Amino acid sequence: FPSHDTQAKKNKSYEDYPEFLEFWSAYPRKDDKKKSFDAWLKQKPNIDVVLNALSWQKETKQWLKDNGQFIPLGETYINGRRWEAEPPAELTGDPF
């Protein structure tokens, strides 16, 4: 078995993290992939939970406004654990 030195850990590749690639392909804003990847490695979110949240978040007024101008950077989304947000009433049909 090759030993993993510090340098090897710094050179993690996207391909080693298919869940990150799945997030990246689903996420509508494609800026700063490297920073988003670093945030992903730190937060280690559950991909199913993230994709579920993205499915409704992509439909929110904020994300649709001005051609997606207000979609947060992937890094901001991940570091802010935004997949933990609740869907707004406009999408759930719940008036409360």
Side-chain angles (χ1 to χ4, degrees):
F1 294 101
S3 70
H4 290 289
D5 60 6
T6 319
Q7 194 56 38
K9 284 186 178 155
K10 283 186 179 153
N11 292 331
K12 290 183 176 182
S13 118
Y14 302 130
E15 286 69 37
D16 296 334
Y17 295 87
E19 291 186 341
F20 171 75
L21 291 176
E22 205 175 336
F23 161 77
W24 191 252
S25 74
Y27 200 71
R29 186 167 174 182
K30 304 294 187 205
D31 301 311
D32 282 334
K33 186 175 187 179
K34 172 80 174 85
K35 286 182 179 177
S36 296
F37 182 59
D38 292 342
W40 185 270
L41 295 179
K42 264 191 271 181
Q43 295 288 340
K44 299 178 181 69
N46 177 306
I47 187 63
D48 295 326
V49 173
V50 171
L51 292 177
N52 187 34
L54 281 175
S55 70
W56 64 262
Q57 288 167 332
K58 288 179 184 179
E59 303 304 316
T60 60
K61 288 178 188 154
Q62 180 183 348
W63 284 29
L64 294 171
K65 188 175 178 185
D66 296 334
N67 293 321
Q69 181 181 340
F70 300 100
I71 297 170
L73 288 168
E75 173 190 21
T76 303
Y77 181 89
I78 296 165
N79 282 329
R81 300 179 64 87
R82 304 227 176 144
W83 59 87
E84 294 176 344
E86 298 287 322
E90 77 200 44
L91 294 179
T92 62
D94 185 350
F96 303 107

